[in-house]
Amino acid sequence: MPTNNPEIILTADRTLMSNYHRNEFLGFGTCAPSNFIPDVLYSYLFFPPVGTKKGLPSEAPYGLRKIEAQLLKEGFNVLTVSPQHLKNYLGNAKIIGIHTMDPFGFGPASTTLASVFQKEPFLARHFSGLIASPLIREAKKNGAKIIVGGPGAWQFRYRTQLLDKKIIDCVVEGEAENVIGKLFKSALNGEALPSHFDITAKEAPKIEEIPDIAQPSINGLVELGRGCCRGCEFCNVTVRPLRWYPLDKIVREIAVNVDIGKQQVICLHSEDVMLYGSPNAVPNDEKLLNLHEIVMSKVKTISWSHCSLAAVASKPKLVKQLSEIILQKQAWWGAEIGLETGSATLAKKIMPAKALPFKAEEWPEVARQGFGIMHDSKLVPAATLIVGLPEETEDDIIKTVELVDDVRDCRSLIVPLFFVPLGRLKNKDWFREAQVNKLHEELMFKCAEHSLRWVDSLLDMSFADKGYRIPLKQAYKVFAGLARRQIRQAESIELK
Ligand code: SF4
C-alpha cells in the first residue's frame, strides 16, 4: 500500500479529471476554446472537477489507473492525486507522471474548434497550466522527474520545446505496462531518461500481463479489449494487435468501480464494443449478449465508448436484443462512431475494411442502415466525419453532404473534424482552415444544424429521471440556443 509521502505521484489536468456530469459526450466540450459564455460557467457545464477525499480523486482516467495498478503490482509507492491538491503530496516526489489526451490541442476535434474560434482549446490551456504551475516547477527544482504519457503523447513529436528545455524529462508513447516499471526505476535511480520512449506493437502486453485497475475510473470506464481489426489508414490504433479481455477480468474491474467507487454507471470501452470477443469483423452474438446480461445485473446504467456502423448494420436483430437488455434500466445509451465520409470511392481508398462484413463500396448504404438501426434501438451515435482527407474531391464532399441529409431523422450528433495526419497517413499534410472551401462550409454547417436539432430531445431523454437536475438541463438548453444563434449568423454570412 502507498504511504502518505509517495515518491511517485500520478495526475492529469482538470479537463481529464472530470466525469463530465456523467455524460461522456460532454467531454467533447474540453476541445473548445473560450467562447460566448464565461469560462467559469463553461468549465462547470462541460468539465466539473471530480470529487476528492484528502486530495485523492474518487475516479481518475482509466489509462492512469492502469499505470497506477502496474506500478503498485511492481511494489512502487505511488498515489494518483487531483491536480487541485498536488501541494499536499509533492514534498517527497521523485517522479510526477502526467496523463494526457490532447496536450497541445492537435487532436481532430480541438484543431477544428480552435480554427473556428481562433483561440487555444481548454484542454491545451489546462495542460500547459499544469506543467507551468509553481508547484510542478518547485518539485522539478527539487529533483523530481516529469514523465508524460497517454493517447496524446504523439503530439510531442510536433512540439518539442518542453522536452528541449527539460521541463518534461520523458514522453512515453504506446501501451506501457511491460516497460513502465523499468523506466520509473531508472528515474528513481537518477539515471538519464530518453526524451521519447516509444513502445512498439511487439512490446504491447498480452492480456494476462495487463493488471486490473485498483481504484475507480472516470465514469466507471472498463476496457473490453485493445486493438482493432479494421486497419483504417488515418488511425493510430491500426498498429496495435487485437486482444479481448475474458469476462471475469471485466467483471473484476466493474466491481472496483461499483464496490470502491460506489458508481452506478459503467462505460464499456473498446474500439468497437459490438465486436467483443470476435476475432474478425463479425459480431459474436453469444458473447455480446452474455456480457450485457452480466453487466446490467451489476449496474444501473451503461454506455459504450465506441462501436462501428458496419457491425450494427450486419446484426440488426442482435442490436435489438441488446437494446431490450439495456433499456430495461435506462432511456437510451450512447457510443462514438466513425462516419468519416459519405463517399464510397474515398472509403475504398482510405478505409477498405471499415464496412466489413460488407464491401467497401457499400459504405454509404451501410452507414444509412447503421444510423436507422441505432435510432430504432435508442443507441445514440456521436458520429465524427473527416474534412479534408488526402485525395478528397468535390464529389466526395457532395456525397458526404448527401449522407448527412439522409440521416437527418436519426437521433444523433454529427461532428466534422479536420484531417490530422495519424496512422499510415502520418506523413501527409494537416488540413488547415485556409483550405476550407464552400462545400466544406456547407458540410460543416449541415452537421452543426443536424446536431443542434437533436440536442434538445437528447437533453430531455438524459434528464427524464433526474428532476433534481432541471437547472442544469436548462443551462445546457440555453447554451445550445446561443450556439444555434451564433451558427446561423455565421452561416448567413459565409454561405451568401
Ligand atoms: S478508425 Fe476506428 S475502425 Fe478504423 S482502425 Fe481506427 S479504431 Fe478501427
Side-chain angles (χ1 to χ4, degrees):
M1 282 295 289
T3 67
N4 281 336
N5 288 309
E7 291 179 322
I8 302 173
I9 296 296
L10 303 178
T11 192
D13 72 65
R14 182 208 158 139
T15 59
L16 295 171
M17 233 20 130
S18 171
N19 62 26
Y20 318 104
H21 292 290
R22 297 267 171 252
N23 186 336
E24 292 280 355
F25 284 4
L26 291 178
F28 266 122
T30 61
C31 304
S34 283
N35 49 64
F36 42 83
I37 64 169
D39 285 2
V40 174
L41 178 59
Y42 186 89
S43 307
Y44 172 73
L45 287 176
F46 289 91
F47 48 95
V50 288
T52 56
K53 199 169 177 189
K54 295 185 180 167
L56 307 185
S58 52
E59 46 196 303
Y62 185 82
L64 200 58
R65 289 301 196 202
K66 278 289 186 207
I67 293 301
E68 176 191 67
Q70 180 66 36
L71 292 170
L72 286 171
K73 189 172 114 183
E74 294 187 39
F76 289 93
N77 191 8
V78 53
L79 267 186
T80 299
V81 176
S82 148
Q84 282 95 342
H85 295 84
L86 284 171
K87 70 173 182 302
N88 300 328
Y89 289 94
L90 291 186
N92 196 31
K94 296 204 167 54
I95 302 177
I96 304 169
I98 299 178
H99 175 79
T100 183
M101 186 77 83
D102 192 358
F104 303 116
F106 295 167
S110 1
T111 312
T112 313
L113 288 166
S115 69
V116 171
F117 289 92
Q118 298 289 318
K119 286 187 212 152
E120 189 182 29
F122 279 104
L123 40 69
R125 252 170 68 187
H126 281 277
F127 177 78
S128 58
L130 175 64
I131 295 290
S133 70
L135 286 168
I136 298 276
R137 288 186 171 201
E138 182 67 23
K140 184 84 185 134
K141 256 194 229 154
N142 293 336
K145 301 270 191 240
I146 312 289
I147 301 181
V148 175
W154 62 273
Q155 298 186 7
F156 288 87
R157 297 185 177 287
Y158 294 90
R159 194 168 285 180
T160 59
Q161 292 95 321
L162 290 170
L163 285 161
D164 297 343
K165 291 182 185 165
K166 305 273 181 222
I167 294 168
I168 290 173
D169 295 282
C170 178
V171 172
V172 183
E173 197 174 342
E175 294 180 39
E177 281 89 349
N178 280 347
V179 299
I180 200 73
K182 281 178 231 145
L183 183 73
F184 275 43
K185 193 169 268 175
S186 298
L188 289 175
N189 290 339
E191 293 163 23
L193 299 178
S195 58
H196 287 271
F197 193 97
D198 294 336
I199 300 147
T200 61
K202 276 195 191 133
E203 293 169 295
K206 298 188 184 79
I207 285 295
E208 57 277 17
E209 292 171 326
I210 302 174
D212 296 352
I213 55 169
Q215 293 291 327
S217 51
I218 297 282
N219 285 333
L221 188 137
V222 296
E223 227 169 16
L224 302 182
R226 294 184 183 177
C228 176
C229 62
R230 295 191 189 272
C232 304
E233 299 274 308
F234 50 81
C235 176
N236 263 353
V237 176
T238 327
V239 291
R240 300 199 198 135
L242 180 64
R243 291 145 291 163
W244 294 110
Y245 285 5
L247 197 50
D248 60 340
K249 186 173 179 67
I250 297 165
V251 168
R252 286 198 303 271
E253 293 206 334
I254 289 174
V256 169
N257 282 298
V258 172
D259 298 345
I260 305 175
K262 308 290 172 223
Q263 302 230 37
Q264 305 280 341
V265 185
I266 289 293
C267 176
L268 300 178
H269 168 66
S270 83
E271 303 307 334
D272 190 348
V273 171
M274 280 292 294
L275 295 185
Y276 172 64
S278 167
N280 52 39
V282 180
N284 181 319
D285 298 40
E286 195 187 331
K287 285 196 174 163
L288 208 51
L289 289 168
N290 190 27
L291 168 76
H292 282 81
E293 264 156 16
I294 290 175
V295 173
M296 290 309 291
S297 72
K298 296 182 181 303
V299 298
K300 209 166 146 199
T301 60
I302 65 158
S303 61
W304 291 356
S305 67
H306 307 90
C307 74
S308 70
L309 287 161
V312 166
S314 73
K315 293 271 178 131
K317 189 170 154 222
L318 173 61
V319 178
K320 186 165 183 293
Q321 288 172 305
L322 290 168
S323 76
E324 283 164 4
I325 298 170
I326 295 166
L327 299 180
Q328 284 175 24
K329 290 193 171 177
Q330 60 196 89
W332 65 284
W333 83 107
E336 285 178 36
I337 59 150
L339 177 58
E340 326 301 8
T341 176
S343 159
T345 316
L346 201 49
K348 216 171 156 183
K349 279 187 203 156
I350 52 136
M351 46 183 213
K354 187 95 164 180
L356 284 173
F358 304 96
K359 292 189 188 125
E361 51 270 37
E362 293 175 298
W363 173 249
E365 189 48 33
V366 169
R368 281 183 199 97
Q369 293 285 335
F371 265 81
I373 294 164
M374 289 169 113
H375 178 84
D376 293 343
S377 312
K378 300 217 168 99
L379 166 53
V380 180
T384 52
L385 54 81
I386 309 177
V387 174
L389 274 160
E391 298 186 56
E392 176 193 75
T393 63
E394 292 207 336
D395 189 54
D396 294 325
I397 309 170
I398 291 167
K399 290 282 186 321
T400 307
V401 170
E402 287 169 359
L403 182 57
V404 175
D405 261 339
D406 290 348
V407 298
R408 70 185 303 280
D409 291 329
C410 297
R411 191 186 301 105
S412 55
L413 305 175
I414 303 183
V415 186
L417 305 175
F418 286 3
F419 169 72
V420 167
L422 291 171
R424 292 193 203 101
L425 300 182
K426 67 180 176 199
N427 295 324
K428 300 284 180 187
D429 288 335
W430 295 67
F431 183 78
R432 306 279 180 200
E433 197 203 352
Q435 295 162 272
V436 172
N437 61 29
K438 287 285 172 200
L439 278 171
H440 289 130
E441 276 173 4
E442 185 188 342
L443 174 61
M444 289 163 74
F445 282 125
K446 199 168 277 292
C447 292
E449 286 286 350
H450 173 98
S451 300
L452 288 167
R453 176 169 171 245
W454 281 106
V455 155
D456 281 356
S457 79
L458 279 173
L459 285 169
D460 289 338
M461 280 163 73
S462 303
F463 286 87
D465 57 347
K466 300 185 183 84
Y468 64 99
R469 298 181 92 186
I470 281 177
L472 195 56
K473 177 171 98 170
Q474 293 307 340
Y476 289 124
K477 285 201 169 184
V478 169
F479 179 81
L482 288 169
R484 199 175 283 120
R485 207 172 67 192
Q486 298 267 331
I487 287 165
R488 293 211 171 124
Q489 274 171 3
E491 197 173 356
S492 67
I493 297 166
E494 297 292 338
L495 294 183
K496 260 183 192 164

